[in-house]
Amino acid sequence: MAAITSVSSSPKWLVLMFMALVFQNQMAQSQTQTCSNSLANLNVCAQFVVPGAANTSPSPDCCTALQGLEHDCICNTLRIAARLPALCNLPPLSCAN
């Protein structure tokens, strides 16, 4: 038990834990930035998803941008978007096919 106490109170251990937390935070920020950048690339798809669009066949640029998205990025974005009405105290969306 004394060995555990001395290791956990060691300055080296604290520095190592701090570095691990900083690294984890930087990785999360990097993933968020990558997702945001990938979503921004989807602007080339806007003309194909607007209601009443004349051309609904996506361009090669749109397909490339969509292919560049991480699965988790698009799924998390859709989950967040689906929660927005409730977070804004609005009724839930109900979309007809």
Side-chain angles (χ1 to χ4, degrees):
M1 182 78 171
I4 293 174
T5 303
S6 66
V7 170
S8 64
S9 62
S10 164
K12 289 179 183 178
W13 177 254
L14 294 175
V15 169
L16 181 61
M17 290 299 293
F18 177 75
M19 289 175 57
L21 288 172
V22 168
F23 178 73
Q24 181 182 10
N25 185 40
Q26 288 178 341
M27 289 298 294
Q29 287 177 352
S30 175
Q31 289 173 345
T32 299
Q33 187 64 37
T34 300
C35 182
S36 295
N37 290 341
S38 295
L39 290 171
N41 291 339
L42 286 179
N43 285 336
V44 297
C45 298
Q47 62 185 328
F48 307 106
V49 296
V50 175
N55 184 2
T56 57
S57 296
S59 68
D61 288 339
C62 174
C63 294
T64 299
L66 190 58
Q67 185 178 16
L69 280 175
E70 296 269 337
H71 182 262
D72 288 343
C73 175
I74 190 82
C75 289
N76 289 335
T77 301
L78 292 173
R79 278 188 212 106
I80 291 167
R83 289 192 330 239
L84 281 177
L87 295 172
C88 294
N89 296 318
L90 298 170
L93 293 176
S94 177
C95 303
N97 290 337

